[in-house]
Amino acid sequence: MLAPVHPGLVKLIDAYKAAEGYSRAQVLVSALVLAVIGGAHLARLGSFQTRAGSALLIALSLLGVIWGWLRARRGNRTAASAIRGVIITTQPELGGRLLRALNLLEKEDGHRGESRELSAVHFERLLARAKLDSVAELGKRRNRLFSRLAACAVAFSILGVGVGPRRVLEGLNVLVAQNGRAPVEMAWLRGVEVSAAPPNYLRAGKSRLELDSAGVLAEGSQVSFRGRPRYSGRELVITDGREQVPFVDDGSGALVAHWSLGASAELRVAARFGDVLIEEPGRVQLHAQPDLVPKVRLQGAPAELELTRLDKLELRWLAHDDHSLSQVDLVLRSAGREERRTLERYASDKAQGSGGYVLYPDDPFFKRIFLPATIRVEARDSDPRAEEKWGQSDAITIRLPTLGQPHVERYQALLHFRGQLVDFLLARLELEQVQDPKQKQERRRALMAALGQLEDEGLKALSGSFQGLLVPKGWTKFAEAQLELLRRAFERKKDEIAATEQAVLAVDSPLGALSTKDAQEVAKQLGDVAEEAAYGAKLSQSPEERSAGLERLDLAISVLQSGAVQLQKLGVLGADLGSVALSDLDRVQRSREEQDFLHAELAALHMAARLHRPNPSFGAKGGGGGGVESGGGNSGGEGTDAEGSASDADSEFDKLAEDLAQLAQEHAEAIERTGSGLDAAKGSVSKGDLSEEAKRRADALRRAAQGLPEPGEAPGTSRASAALSREHAGAMAFELERLAFDEALESARRAQAAAEDAQRRGLDSMTSRELESLAQEVRGHMAWAEEQRSRLKNLTEQAAKQSLAEVSSVERELAERARRLSKEDTGKAALPEEVRERLSRAQRLMEDAAFRLSGGDGEVGLSLQQQAQRLLEESDTGQTGGEEPGENPGESGAHGGQKKTGVGGDVPDPALHNGAEDFRRRVLEGLGKRSGGRLSPAVRRYAEGLLR
């Protein structure tokens, strides 16, 4: 077998390689370099497609280099490859014959003899015919071609690098990125400054941060990165690895980006190339400190209290937040009802607050609920990013009294009072059987003592509160009047038994009406509870809400059970409605026990509808009286309507009370007419050129006072008195300009008194002369002011004479009505003695007012009218069935509803949210009214100063 390459062929190959040189390798390498540079520019776009295309381009270029290198090596290893690569290209015919000869020679390989020698000689002869010059020329041609290609590739590579050497590095970095992040970090900004600004509501200053550092910032802080870009055209961002915030130009050549810190993060500057980020080396590690929910502590909580055992509930609270509070509320909840009362509002930074609040048993909220109530104090964070961010304290649970129990206690107290009257009647009847004069006298003294005890202790018991519920004022006044009628009968020793019987019957009648009203009210409240039970049964039908529904249903059933028992104790109507409620409640309970919540809901709704219509089950409807309540089955013996009642004394008393209230109302209208008449008269009186003259005199007063000492002198000295005289003279000047002559004269008298005091204490000659000059000026203007006041008063009285005369006749009529009311006594009913006394005094004042008004003295007449009006309003007795404040859920109770206390004094009522504006309004109204008295000018000046 021949050697792989014949020596002759080696000579040809060497000639070819010498001519071709390294141009083939150069073109392969330069093409690979060009592919890398071009691929880098393509990959820099950052999308998946461009990066994949770039990687494919570089990979193909690399494969081409490897293939060329392998081909070159194979071409030098065998004779056939050498012939094909060198001779066939230049001498195709000769190359073909050489390949055939080489093939024949290889077939003879392994044989000895002439045939192989002849083949070898034939191959060498043919090889000798190959032209060395042609092979060298081929190498030269290929050298020139490959050199040009390599030069082009180099030129394009230089161009690619020249466009931006860093762009090539960035592209290669992007090309090898994984998960959107390039492996090699690169710097993008110079002079980087990092600052952090806490949220605005924290009212804290900015802080500086350093790169490659860690810090703790409030959640919601704005972290700002600022720096100048090292290279233009790059899209820079702040990133935490998940989110990105772009940089923007700040107008001064720098870039800035703001990152809102919502959670802990490691922030870095990065350049974005499509989907890939190339990050800077520096980083800032930030820990977000969240704004915590406020902590609230309520003293004594958690606790469970009975409302009936509370005189008052003092709530003291302490609220604390890690930054600041904005509001603190008292939250009252019962079942689905909630009421919030604002305790404090904070406009500035305040991380801690404390205070107090007092709840009374007669609070309106407790009157509107029937299930246990929870009391909490809740504090709101000042964080504006969270809509509702409240911290709450532990709860104080208030257990309410049995529904209807206050009404029953009041009703039983009234029954006891009536029972005392019945016992008194029995004792008086027994007195008729006593024959012994001495014993009879002792029994009579005992009767009078019992009557006195009724007047004192019996009426006092009725004036108390029954768990926040009061006896109507009219009922108490009516009972007081009946006892007075009874005492007068015993003092006259005439018709004592009849008077006592009448008192018993008179008290019994409104008692029945009150029991009916109470039964209706309690029945309606139980109807509300029944609706709550129905709602609980409805919730229980849903598996998701069954637990909450069962709790509400069971609570409502327990309240209904105890409330219905109490309702049965409120007279005949109460017994009727109570038995109906218990019957319907039994249906609800059976359905509850059987887990049949649908029928439990229907039964509760039926019960609520019946109780919301609290009419008797039999007899006349209407519930206001009659029917059942008038029947004979009532153990209390009370009646309710006019026809069935044994006494109409309460109706007569209510008529007297109504007449008294009507009298007070009409008298108030008469006062309004008097005031309007005087105001109209003053407005109609022409003051001519008084304004100019008054202004001239006021200026003269001010000039006269200029030389006196200013306010601020040592108290108790002569100069202080002189300064005070100057001030009063100035006040006189001010009142003269307003043509308020009464006030001007009052200020003048004060100026004179202060001047006299200063002279007594001793002054220097100059100040004494100045003070004397002022005193003379004041005396002169006083005379003029008195003259003008008298003139204007006469003109006003003349202008108002007709209207005042009309009011005078009305006043006389009202005085006569007051006299008749004070004397009226039907035998069954009369007004209490203290009321009659006030009416008599009011009558005399009204008669005096009528006399003054008829004479044109409107100011004095108006003052007398106002005094009489106060007496009329104090005489109000109310109706026997009237509502008291403690009974109305919408009003406050005997304690005035609510009071808040805090550290250092009382806390203002939350309703007074605009106290300054309300104060201004009241002052303006007060300044617009007539006033008198020694201090009125000073008070007016002070008030007007407040409003400036």
Side-chain angles (χ1 to χ4, degrees), residues 502-692:
Q502 173 59 36
V504 173
L505 294 174
V507 169
D508 182 74
S509 179
L511 179 58
L514 187 61
S515 71
T516 297
K517 182 179 73 67
D518 285 350
Q520 292 172 337
E521 182 178 343
V522 173
K524 291 178 180 179
Q525 291 176 355
L526 284 174
D528 293 338
V529 182
E531 288 182 344
E532 179 69 19
Y535 184 70
K538 182 178 181 179
L539 290 180
S540 301
Q541 297 172 39
S542 171
E544 295 82 5
E545 301 181 359
R546 177 161 297 179
S547 177
L550 285 175
E551 182 180 359
R552 296 179 74 162
L553 176 59
D554 292 339
L555 275 174
I557 287 176
S558 65
V559 173
L560 286 170
Q561 179 69 43
S562 56
V565 172
Q566 295 295 324
L567 179 58
Q568 286 184 308
K569 301 176 183 179
L570 290 174
V572 176
L573 181 60
D576 176 18
L577 296 174
S579 63
V580 171
L582 288 173
S583 176
D584 287 346
L585 181 61
D586 185 58
R587 296 169 53 199
V588 177
Q589 288 177 309
R590 286 200 308 270
S591 299
R592 162 68 178 90
E593 293 170 359
E594 296 170 0
Q595 302 290 308
D596 186 358
F597 299 116
L598 175 60
H599 285 88
E601 178 188 2
L602 296 176
L605 289 174
H606 178 270
M607 180 181 181
R610 176 65 183 90
L611 291 174
H612 281 146
R613 185 171 39 86
N615 300 323
S617 300
F618 305 97
K621 295 182 179 181
V628 172
E629 195 63 41
S630 300
N634 184 5
S635 60
E638 67 272 15
T640 59
D641 65 353
E643 295 180 2
S645 177
S647 174
D648 58 355
D650 56 331
S651 300
E652 293 182 5
F653 179 84
D654 288 344
K655 181 65 170 63
L656 292 175
E658 184 179 353
D659 291 343
L660 179 56
Q662 183 67 25
L663 174 63
Q665 180 180 351
E666 293 182 11
H667 190 260
E669 294 172 358
I671 292 176
E672 184 65 28
R673 289 180 59 185
T674 302
S676 299
L678 288 174
D679 291 341
K682 287 182 179 180
S684 65
V685 172
S686 175
K687 297 180 181 179
D689 56 351
L690 281 181
S691 296
E692 291 296 330

Side-chain angles (χ1 to χ4, degrees), residues 84-346:
R84 291 190 186 96
V86 177
I87 300 176
I88 288 180
T89 304
T90 57
Q91 295 175 287
E93 181 181 356
L94 179 59
R97 293 177 66 184
L98 277 172
L99 284 176
R100 287 192 296 272
L102 179 62
N103 187 36
L104 179 62
L105 182 63
E106 290 176 349
K107 285 181 179 181
E108 295 297 331
D109 189 23
H111 297 278
R112 298 289 184 263
E114 296 179 357
S115 60
R116 184 180 181 283
E117 293 176 355
L118 291 174
S119 297
V121 171
H122 177 67
F123 178 78
E124 290 178 358
R125 288 178 178 177
L126 290 175
L127 185 60
R129 294 171 59 184
K131 297 178 180 180
L132 188 63
D133 294 340
S134 299
V135 172
E137 183 64 28
L138 174 64
K140 291 179 182 179
R141 288 200 307 271
R142 288 185 175 178
N143 179 274
R144 288 192 295 272
L145 174 63
F146 290 152
S147 296
R148 292 190 187 99
L149 290 176
C152 290
V154 170
F156 279 109
S157 298
I158 293 173
L159 179 62
V161 173
V163 170
R166 189 175 180 86
R167 297 172 69 90
V168 176
L169 298 177
E170 292 168 355
L172 295 175
N173 206 1
V174 171
L175 178 62
V176 295
Q178 292 184 357
N179 299 323
R181 286 194 176 188
V184 180
E185 297 173 342
M186 306 177 101
W188 303 108
L189 291 175
R190 62 167 56 94
V192 180
E193 297 178 357
V194 185
S195 62
N200 292 334
Y201 75 96
L202 298 182
R203 296 180 175 85
K206 289 185 177 181
S207 59
R208 293 289 297 271
L209 300 173
E210 299 294 335
L211 290 176
D212 295 320
S213 65
V216 179
L217 298 178
E219 190 175 83
S221 296
Q222 290 286 333
V223 182
S224 300
F225 285 74
R226 183 185 301 274
R228 294 190 174 275
R230 294 176 180 269
Y231 316 102
S232 62
R234 273 68 170 178
E235 184 182 1
L236 302 184
V237 298
I238 296 293
T239 180
D240 64 347
R242 295 181 299 274
E243 298 180 4
Q244 303 169 15
V245 174
F247 278 84
V248 295
D249 193 340
D250 68 350
S252 63
L255 298 179
V256 63
H258 303 288
W259 180 277
S260 180
L261 188 64
S264 298
E266 182 183 84
L267 301 183
R268 305 182 69 173
V269 178
R272 183 164 60 194
F273 299 92
D275 301 330
V276 178
L277 295 178
I278 303 179
E279 299 173 335
E280 273 203 352
R283 67 197 67 192
V284 179
Q285 184 72 40
L286 297 177
H287 177 70
Q289 180 68 45
D291 191 348
L292 302 178
V293 174
K295 297 180 180 179
V296 187
R297 184 171 63 86
L298 179 59
Q299 184 177 342
E304 188 169 311
L305 305 174
E306 294 287 342
L307 184 64
T308 55
R309 298 182 181 179
L310 286 178
D311 177 44
K312 62 181 178 180
L313 178 60
E314 296 183 357
L315 304 173
R316 298 205 172 272
W317 53 270
L318 175 66
H320 178 270
D321 188 55
D322 53 346
H323 294 299
S324 61
L325 302 167
S326 63
Q327 182 174 330
V328 179
D329 284 1
L330 176 70
V331 183
L332 308 174
R333 291 189 181 93
S334 177
R337 187 186 299 271
E338 177 181 300
E339 181 177 317
R340 305 185 75 93
R341 300 176 185 177
T342 300
L343 300 178
E344 296 288 350
R345 290 183 187 274
Y346 301 108

Side-chain angles (χ1 to χ4, degrees), residues 708 716-723 725 751-776 779:
L708 292 176
T717 62
S718 59
R719 291 183 63 82
S721 297
S725 179
Q752 288 181 325
E756 292 172 2
D757 181 67
Q759 294 287 8
R760 283 195 304 270
R761 293 177 184 272
L763 290 167
D764 59 85
S765 58
M766 181 177 295
T767 305
S768 179
R769 285 195 301 272
E770 292 283 350
L771 193 59
E772 181 60 32
S773 173
L774 176 63
Q776 292 178 359
R779 284 193 293 271

Side-chain angles (χ1 to χ4, degrees), residues 209-509:
L209 300 173
E210 299 294 335
L211 290 176
D212 295 320
S213 65
V216 179
L217 298 178
E219 190 175 83
S221 296
Q222 290 286 333
V223 182
S224 300
F225 285 74
R226 183 185 301 274
R228 294 190 174 275
R230 294 176 180 269
Y231 316 102
S232 62
R234 273 68 170 178
E235 184 182 1
L236 302 184
V237 298
I238 296 293
T239 180
D240 64 347
R242 295 181 299 274
E243 298 180 4
Q244 303 169 15
V245 174
F247 278 84
V248 295
D249 193 340
D250 68 350
S252 63
L255 298 179
V256 63
H258 303 288
W259 180 277
S260 180
L261 188 64
S264 298
E266 182 183 84
L267 301 183
R268 305 182 69 173
V269 178
R272 183 164 60 194
F273 299 92
D275 301 330
V276 178
L277 295 178
I278 303 179
E279 299 173 335
E280 273 203 352
R283 67 197 67 192
V284 179
Q285 184 72 40
L286 297 177
H287 177 70
Q289 180 68 45
D291 191 348
L292 302 178
V293 174
K295 297 180 180 179
V296 187
R297 184 171 63 86
L298 179 59
Q299 184 177 342
E304 188 169 311
L305 305 174
E306 294 287 342
L307 184 64
T308 55
R309 298 182 181 179
L310 286 178
D311 177 44
K312 62 181 178 180
L313 178 60
E314 296 183 357
L315 304 173
R316 298 205 172 272
W317 53 270
L318 175 66
H320 178 270
D321 188 55
D322 53 346
H323 294 299
S324 61
L325 302 167
S326 63
Q327 182 174 330
V328 179
D329 284 1
L330 176 70
V331 183
L332 308 174
R333 291 189 181 93
S334 177
R337 187 186 299 271
E338 177 181 300
E339 181 177 317
R340 305 185 75 93
R341 300 176 185 177
T342 300
L343 300 178
E344 296 288 350
R345 290 183 187 274
Y346 301 108
S348 59
D349 296 341
K350 189 160 186 178
Q352 181 171 313
S354 62
Y357 194 95
V358 178
L359 280 173
Y360 292 96
D362 56 359
D363 190 272
F365 180 78
F366 295 137
K367 294 185 177 300
R368 294 194 297 267
I369 62 175
F370 35 80
L371 296 178
T374 59
I375 301 172
R376 283 187 172 91
V377 174
E378 297 185 2
R380 185 176 184 178
D381 197 289
S382 60
D383 187 354
R385 300 171 302 159
E387 256 185 57
E388 297 293 334
K389 197 172 183 181
W390 293 85
Q392 62 180 19
S393 68
D394 292 328
I396 295 178
T397 302
I398 301 296
R399 293 284 177 182
L400 301 180
T402 302
L403 191 61
Q405 185 178 351
H407 299 81
V408 171
E409 290 181 4
R410 180 175 70 174
Y411 179 58
Q412 290 175 346
L414 296 176
L415 282 178
H416 179 68
F417 178 76
R418 188 194 62 179
Q420 289 178 304
L421 276 177
V422 172
D423 292 342
F424 184 83
L425 173 60
L426 180 60
R428 180 60 188 84
L429 293 174
E430 291 175 350
L431 182 61
E432 292 295 314
Q433 308 299 324
V434 179
Q435 301 299 327
D436 184 8
K438 185 177 180 180
Q439 187 179 4
K440 192 168 187 176
Q441 187 175 4
E442 291 178 358
R443 289 282 190 92
R444 187 172 187 84
R445 282 199 297 270
L447 275 175
M448 296 305 292
L451 181 58
Q453 187 177 6
L454 268 175
E455 291 176 332
D456 294 338
E457 298 179 8
L459 292 176
K460 184 178 179 181
L462 298 183
S463 63
S465 173
F466 303 93
Q467 299 185 32
L469 195 64
L470 305 178
V471 176
K473 177 182 177 182
W475 209 105
T476 306
K477 292 294 184 182
F478 171 69
E480 180 183 344
Q482 288 299 317
L483 292 180
E484 289 178 359
L485 289 174
L486 186 57
R487 175 172 288 281
R488 285 202 292 269
F490 271 79
E491 289 174 351
R492 292 194 306 265
K493 297 183 179 181
K494 182 180 179 182
D495 299 329
E496 294 177 349
I497 295 177
T500 307
E501 292 174 343
Q502 173 59 36
V504 173
L505 294 174
V507 169
D508 182 74
S509 179

